[in-house]
Amino acid sequence: VDPHMQRRGIGRALIEYCADFAHKQGSTALHVVGNPHAKDFYEECGFEVTGKTETRFGPGLLMKKKV
């Protein structure tokens, strides 16, 4: 979400839309590689850290949310 549009519920709405869609398709979880600076946001949306990885942008968090 564009920084000027953050803190308006857009990111949370996108995650919930994806979780609902994935569930309807038979998936059991969403997986993301999250920016460590966004860890609190993802955790507030129900994700758990499952590991760490390197990306071309630097360190990333492997995160999972059950749907």
Side-chain angles (χ1 to χ4, degrees), residues 48-53 60-63:
E48 295 179 354
V49 176
T50 60
K52 296 180 181 180
T53 190
L61 298 174
L62 300 174
M63 304 186 86

Side-chain angles (χ1 to χ4, degrees), residues 2-62:
D2 184 90
H4 295 99
M5 298 300 291
Q6 291 178 347
R7 310 288 309 161
R8 297 179 188 200
I10 297 168
R12 184 177 304 274
L14 288 169
I15 287 172
E16 289 309 314
Y17 175 84
C18 292
D20 183 56
F21 183 85
H23 179 73
K24 287 177 181 175
Q25 298 299 310
S27 295
T28 59
L30 293 179
H31 297 265
V32 299
V33 177
N35 182 321
H37 297 289
K39 180 178 181 268
D40 291 342
F41 166 75
Y42 283 112
E43 288 180 334
E44 288 172 10
C45 290
F47 284 87
E48 295 179 354
V49 176
T50 60
K52 296 180 181 180
T53 190
E54 280 299 318
T55 74
R56 65 183 177 148
F57 304 107
L61 298 174
L62 300 174

